[in-house]
Amino acid sequence: MLVRDIMTSTPVTVKASSPIAEAASLMLDNRISGLPVVDDDGTLIGIVSEGDFLRRGELDTERRRSCFLEFLTSPGKLADEYVHAHGRKVEEVMTSSVTTVSPQQPIADAVKLMERDDIKRLPVVEDDQLIGIVARSDLMRALFSILMAKPALNGDAQIEAAIQTELAKHSWSGNGFISVAVKDGVAELSGTIFDERERLAAKVAAENVPGVKSVTDQLTWIDPYYGVAVPLP
């Protein structure tokens, strides 16, 4: 799945010369936490988010330092912080260095960038023009659509085979030590595990197969140090 398949193609934007009150109003009215900042030609030049309004003089939350720490801080940094806390225009508080993504990139690339930069949204840019935005909520919508669209498998044999195939993909399944039997849509897990975390992973693997009504756990944990089997309580 590509970014263009899930992005919001008509993002709400704001101009750099706009008052910060306008940006705040747009975010509140549209229930979003950030806005791409564009010029008159639609070129992305920055982004403004809720985080840019945390340290504000009006809220009495601007950054304060002890006299000693302020002495050690460069005048340029102090001046920059003052502008951010008291600026009246979007261009004075926005972030100019923006992480972007192409509409042709896989959504896995977008997720990596969000995790790497700890951000909630990525402007989608093509030929230097803003054509959309992909946010965490877009990923949630895509996930929901996929979950709802999964067709149920026909018959216990197909369900059982699908669970076995999924378990076989992962090293934590113990290379075949976890077995599964399905009857009337109920998947029963049996066999041995060497780490309790494998128990939940096996249950999740079974639950994700369409057609599974419930999962019963008959797995036995074996202490990896002593080789002693510990049955279910």
Side-chain angles (χ1 to χ4, degrees), residues 5 11 16 42 61 65 69 103 127 129 139 158 170:
D5 298 323
T61 56
R65 296 179 176 86
L69 289 178
D127 297 329
Q129 296 293 300
L139 291 164
Q158 284 191 8
H170 307 284

mmCIF file with all atom_site columns, all heavy atoms in Angstrom, residues 5 11 16 42 61 65 69 103 127 129 139 158 170:
data_model
loop_
_atom_site.group_PDB
_atom_site.id
_atom_site.type_symbol
_atom_site.label_atom_id
_atom_site.label_alt_id
_atom_site.label_comp_id
_atom_site.label_asym_id
_atom_site.label_entity_id
_atom_site.label_seq_id
_atom_site.pdbx_PDB_ins_code
_atom_site.Cartn_x
_atom_site.Cartn_y
_atom_site.Cartn_z
_atom_site.occupancy
_atom_site.B_iso_or_equiv
_atom_site.pdbx_formal_charge
_atom_site.auth_seq_id
_atom_site.auth_comp_id
_atom_site.auth_asym_id
_atom_site.auth_atom_id
_atom_site.pdbx_PDB_model_num
ATOM 1   N N   . ASP A 1 5   ? -2.509  6.094   -1.383  1.00 0.00 ? 5   ASP A N   1
ATOM 2   C CA  . ASP A 1 5   ? -3.733  5.322   -1.178  1.00 0.00 ? 5   ASP A CA  1
ATOM 3   C C   . ASP A 1 5   ? -4.456  5.701   0.113   1.00 0.00 ? 5   ASP A C   1
ATOM 4   O O   . ASP A 1 5   ? -5.655  5.433   0.248   1.00 0.00 ? 5   ASP A O   1
ATOM 5   C CB  . ASP A 1 5   ? -3.413  3.823   -1.147  1.00 0.00 ? 5   ASP A CB  1
ATOM 6   C CG  . ASP A 1 5   ? -2.823  3.333   -2.456  1.00 0.00 ? 5   ASP A CG  1
ATOM 7   O OD1 . ASP A 1 5   ? -3.255  3.822   -3.513  1.00 0.00 ? 5   ASP A OD1 1
ATOM 8   O OD2 . ASP A 1 5   ? -1.921  2.472   -2.419  1.00 0.00 ? 5   ASP A OD2 1
ATOM 9   N N   . PRO A 1 11  ? -5.608  18.734  2.358   1.00 0.00 ? 11  PRO A N   1
ATOM 10  C CA  . PRO A 1 11  ? -5.289  19.128  3.727   1.00 0.00 ? 11  PRO A CA  1
ATOM 11  C C   . PRO A 1 11  ? -5.615  20.589  4.002   1.00 0.00 ? 11  PRO A C   1
ATOM 12  O O   . PRO A 1 11  ? -5.570  21.434  3.099   1.00 0.00 ? 11  PRO A O   1
ATOM 13  C CB  . PRO A 1 11  ? -3.769  18.887  3.804   1.00 0.00 ? 11  PRO A CB  1
ATOM 14  C CG  . PRO A 1 11  ? -3.293  19.060  2.396   1.00 0.00 ? 11  PRO A CG  1
ATOM 15  C CD  . PRO A 1 11  ? -4.398  18.521  1.538   1.00 0.00 ? 11  PRO A CD  1
ATOM 16  N N   . ALA A 1 16  ? 1.993   31.655  5.723   1.00 0.00 ? 16  ALA A N   1
ATOM 17  C CA  . ALA A 1 16  ? 3.015   32.071  6.677   1.00 0.00 ? 16  ALA A CA  1
ATOM 18  C C   . ALA A 1 16  ? 2.695   33.425  7.296   1.00 0.00 ? 16  ALA A C   1
ATOM 19  O O   . ALA A 1 16  ? 3.026   33.696  8.455   1.00 0.00 ? 16  ALA A O   1
ATOM 20  C CB  . ALA A 1 16  ? 4.383   32.113  5.991   1.00 0.00 ? 16  ALA A CB  1
ATOM 21  N N   . GLY A 1 42  ? 1.372   27.439  -3.369  1.00 0.00 ? 42  GLY A N   1
ATOM 22  C CA  . GLY A 1 42  ? 1.091   26.112  -2.840  1.00 0.00 ? 42  GLY A CA  1
ATOM 23  C C   . GLY A 1 42  ? 2.320   25.315  -2.485  1.00 0.00 ? 42  GLY A C   1
ATOM 24  O O   . GLY A 1 42  ? 2.238   24.109  -2.227  1.00 0.00 ? 42  GLY A O   1
ATOM 25  N N   . THR A 1 61  ? 3.750   30.408  30.092  1.00 0.00 ? 61  THR A N   1
ATOM 26  C CA  . THR A 1 61  ? 4.462   29.126  30.036  1.00 0.00 ? 61  THR A CA  1
ATOM 27  C C   . THR A 1 61  ? 5.785   29.236  29.282  1.00 0.00 ? 61  THR A C   1
ATOM 28  O O   . THR A 1 61  ? 6.409   28.224  28.973  1.00 0.00 ? 61  THR A O   1
ATOM 29  C CB  . THR A 1 61  ? 3.600   28.061  29.328  1.00 0.00 ? 61  THR A CB  1
ATOM 30  O OG1 . THR A 1 61  ? 3.241   28.529  28.019  1.00 0.00 ? 61  THR A OG1 1
ATOM 31  C CG2 . THR A 1 61  ? 2.348   27.757  30.130  1.00 0.00 ? 61  THR A CG2 1
ATOM 32  N N   . ARG A 1 65  ? 14.827  30.318  32.843  1.00 0.00 ? 65  ARG A N   1
ATOM 33  C CA  . ARG A 1 65  ? 16.050  29.706  33.337  1.00 0.00 ? 65  ARG A CA  1
ATOM 34  C C   . ARG A 1 65  ? 16.580  30.501  34.524  1.00 0.00 ? 65  ARG A C   1
ATOM 35  O O   . ARG A 1 65  ? 16.255  31.676  34.697  1.00 0.00 ? 65  ARG A O   1
ATOM 36  C CB  . ARG A 1 65  ? 17.133  29.681  32.239  1.00 0.00 ? 65  ARG A CB  1
ATOM 37  C CG  . ARG A 1 65  ? 16.791  28.830  31.023  1.00 0.00 ? 65  ARG A CG  1
ATOM 38  C CD  . ARG A 1 65  ? 17.934  28.908  30.014  1.00 0.00 ? 65  ARG A CD  1
ATOM 39  N NE  . ARG A 1 65  ? 17.720  28.038  28.870  1.00 0.00 ? 65  ARG A NE  1
ATOM 40  C CZ  . ARG A 1 65  ? 17.036  28.380  27.792  1.00 0.00 ? 65  ARG A CZ  1
ATOM 41  N NH1 . ARG A 1 65  ? 16.477  29.593  27.729  1.00 0.00 ? 65  ARG A NH1 1
ATOM 42  N NH2 . ARG A 1 65  ? 16.895  27.539  26.785  1.00 0.00 ? 65  ARG A NH2 1
ATOM 43  N N   . LEU A 1 69  ? 22.057  29.686  34.249  1.00 0.00 ? 69  LEU A N   1
ATOM 44  C CA  . LEU A 1 69  ? 21.824  28.997  32.986  1.00 0.00 ? 69  LEU A CA  1
ATOM 45  C C   . LEU A 1 69  ? 21.576  29.978  31.846  1.00 0.00 ? 69  LEU A C   1
ATOM 46  O O   . LEU A 1 69  ? 21.983  29.736  30.713  1.00 0.00 ? 69  LEU A O   1
ATOM 47  C CB  . LEU A 1 69  ? 20.635  28.043  33.123  1.00 0.00 ? 69  LEU A CB  1
ATOM 48  C CG  . LEU A 1 69  ? 20.861  26.793  33.976  1.00 0.00 ? 69  LEU A CG  1
ATOM 49  C CD1 . LEU A 1 69  ? 19.581  25.975  34.069  1.00 0.00 ? 69  LEU A CD1 1
ATOM 50  C CD2 . LEU A 1 69  ? 21.991  25.945  33.386  1.00 0.00 ? 69  LEU A CD2 1
ATOM 51  N N   . PRO A 1 103 ? 4.120   10.660  -2.600  1.00 0.00 ? 103 PRO A N   1
ATOM 52  C CA  . PRO A 1 103 ? 2.907   9.833   -2.710  1.00 0.00 ? 103 PRO A CA  1
ATOM 53  C C   . PRO A 1 103 ? 3.202   8.423   -3.209  1.00 0.00 ? 103 PRO A C   1
ATOM 54  O O   . PRO A 1 103 ? 2.397   7.513   -2.994  1.00 0.00 ? 103 PRO A O   1
ATOM 55  C CB  . PRO A 1 103 ? 2.043   10.606  -3.709  1.00 0.00 ? 103 PRO A CB  1
ATOM 56  C CG  . PRO A 1 103 ? 2.995   11.455  -4.476  1.00 0.00 ? 103 PRO A CG  1
ATOM 57  C CD  . PRO A 1 103 ? 4.069   11.820  -3.505  1.00 0.00 ? 103 PRO A CD  1
ATOM 58  N N   . ASP A 1 127 ? 6.835   17.253  -6.871  1.00 0.00 ? 127 ASP A N   1
ATOM 59  C CA  . ASP A 1 127 ? 7.295   18.396  -7.667  1.00 0.00 ? 127 ASP A CA  1
ATOM 60  C C   . ASP A 1 127 ? 7.232   19.691  -6.863  1.00 0.00 ? 127 ASP A C   1
ATOM 61  O O   . ASP A 1 127 ? 6.778   20.745  -7.356  1.00 0.00 ? 127 ASP A O   1
ATOM 62  C CB  . ASP A 1 127 ? 6.459   18.532  -8.951  1.00 0.00 ? 127 ASP A CB  1
ATOM 63  C CG  . ASP A 1 127 ? 6.594   17.324  -9.872  1.00 0.00 ? 127 ASP A CG  1
ATOM 64  O OD1 . ASP A 1 127 ? 7.685   16.710  -9.868  1.00 0.00 ? 127 ASP A OD1 1
ATOM 65  O OD2 . ASP A 1 127 ? 5.607   16.983  -10.543 1.00 0.00 ? 127 ASP A OD2 1
ATOM 66  N N   . GLN A 1 129 ? 5.284   20.622  -4.714  1.00 0.00 ? 129 GLN A N   1
ATOM 67  C CA  . GLN A 1 129 ? 3.948   21.080  -4.369  1.00 0.00 ? 129 GLN A CA  1
ATOM 68  C C   . GLN A 1 129 ? 3.319   20.171  -3.309  1.00 0.00 ? 129 GLN A C   1
ATOM 69  O O   . GLN A 1 129 ? 3.440   18.949  -3.365  1.00 0.00 ? 129 GLN A O   1
ATOM 70  C CB  . GLN A 1 129 ? 3.051   21.093  -5.619  1.00 0.00 ? 129 GLN A CB  1
ATOM 71  C CG  . GLN A 1 129 ? 3.495   22.075  -6.687  1.00 0.00 ? 129 GLN A CG  1
ATOM 72  C CD  . GLN A 1 129 ? 3.362   23.527  -6.238  1.00 0.00 ? 129 GLN A CD  1
ATOM 73  O OE1 . GLN A 1 129 ? 2.265   23.982  -5.910  1.00 0.00 ? 129 GLN A OE1 1
ATOM 74  N NE2 . GLN A 1 129 ? 4.469   24.244  -6.225  1.00 0.00 ? 129 GLN A NE2 1
ATOM 75  N N   . LEU A 1 139 ? -3.604  6.322   8.946   1.00 0.00 ? 139 LEU A N   1
ATOM 76  C CA  . LEU A 1 139 ? -3.162  4.938   9.124   1.00 0.00 ? 139 LEU A CA  1
ATOM 77  C C   . LEU A 1 139 ? -4.225  4.135   9.868   1.00 0.00 ? 139 LEU A C   1
ATOM 78  O O   . LEU A 1 139 ? -4.476  2.964   9.549   1.00 0.00 ? 139 LEU A O   1
ATOM 79  C CB  . LEU A 1 139 ? -1.833  4.904   9.884   1.00 0.00 ? 139 LEU A CB  1
ATOM 80  C CG  . LEU A 1 139 ? -0.626  5.444   9.118   1.00 0.00 ? 139 LEU A CG  1
ATOM 81  C CD1 . LEU A 1 139 ? 0.518   5.729   10.079  1.00 0.00 ? 139 LEU A CD1 1
ATOM 82  C CD2 . LEU A 1 139 ? -0.173  4.470   8.045   1.00 0.00 ? 139 LEU A CD2 1
ATOM 83  N N   . GLN A 1 158 ? -9.452  -25.078 6.575   1.00 0.00 ? 158 GLN A N   1
ATOM 84  C CA  . GLN A 1 158 ? -8.807  -23.890 6.021   1.00 0.00 ? 158 GLN A CA  1
ATOM 85  C C   . GLN A 1 158 ? -8.311  -22.969 7.128   1.00 0.00 ? 158 GLN A C   1
ATOM 86  O O   . GLN A 1 158 ? -7.224  -22.399 7.041   1.00 0.00 ? 158 GLN A O   1
ATOM 87  C CB  . GLN A 1 158 ? -9.782  -23.134 5.112   1.00 0.00 ? 158 GLN A CB  1
ATOM 88  C CG  . GLN A 1 158 ? -9.992  -23.782 3.756   1.00 0.00 ? 158 GLN A CG  1
ATOM 89  C CD  . GLN A 1 158 ? -10.751 -22.869 2.805   1.00 0.00 ? 158 GLN A CD  1
ATOM 90  O OE1 . GLN A 1 158 ? -10.985 -21.702 3.108   1.00 0.00 ? 158 GLN A OE1 1
ATOM 91  N NE2 . GLN A 1 158 ? -11.139 -23.412 1.664   1.00 0.00 ? 158 GLN A NE2 1
ATOM 92  N N   . HIS A 1 170 ? 7.295   -17.503 12.044  1.00 0.00 ? 170 HIS A N   1
ATOM 93  C CA  . HIS A 1 170 ? 7.970   -16.791 13.130  1.00 0.00 ? 170 HIS A CA  1
ATOM 94  C C   . HIS A 1 170 ? 8.803   -17.725 14.008  1.00 0.00 ? 170 HIS A C   1
ATOM 95  O O   . HIS A 1 170 ? 8.353   -18.814 14.379  1.00 0.00 ? 170 HIS A O   1
ATOM 96  C CB  . HIS A 1 170 ? 6.934   -16.062 13.992  1.00 0.00 ? 170 HIS A CB  1
ATOM 97  C CG  . HIS A 1 170 ? 6.020   -15.182 13.183  1.00 0.00 ? 170 HIS A CG  1
ATOM 98  N ND1 . HIS A 1 170 ? 6.411   -13.964 12.683  1.00 0.00 ? 170 HIS A ND1 1
ATOM 99  C CD2 . HIS A 1 170 ? 4.736   -15.371 12.762  1.00 0.00 ? 170 HIS A CD2 1
ATOM 100 C CE1 . HIS A 1 170 ? 5.405   -13.434 12.001  1.00 0.00 ? 170 HIS A CE1 1
ATOM 101 N NE2 . HIS A 1 170 ? 4.386   -14.259 12.036  1.00 0.00 ? 170 HIS A NE2 1
#
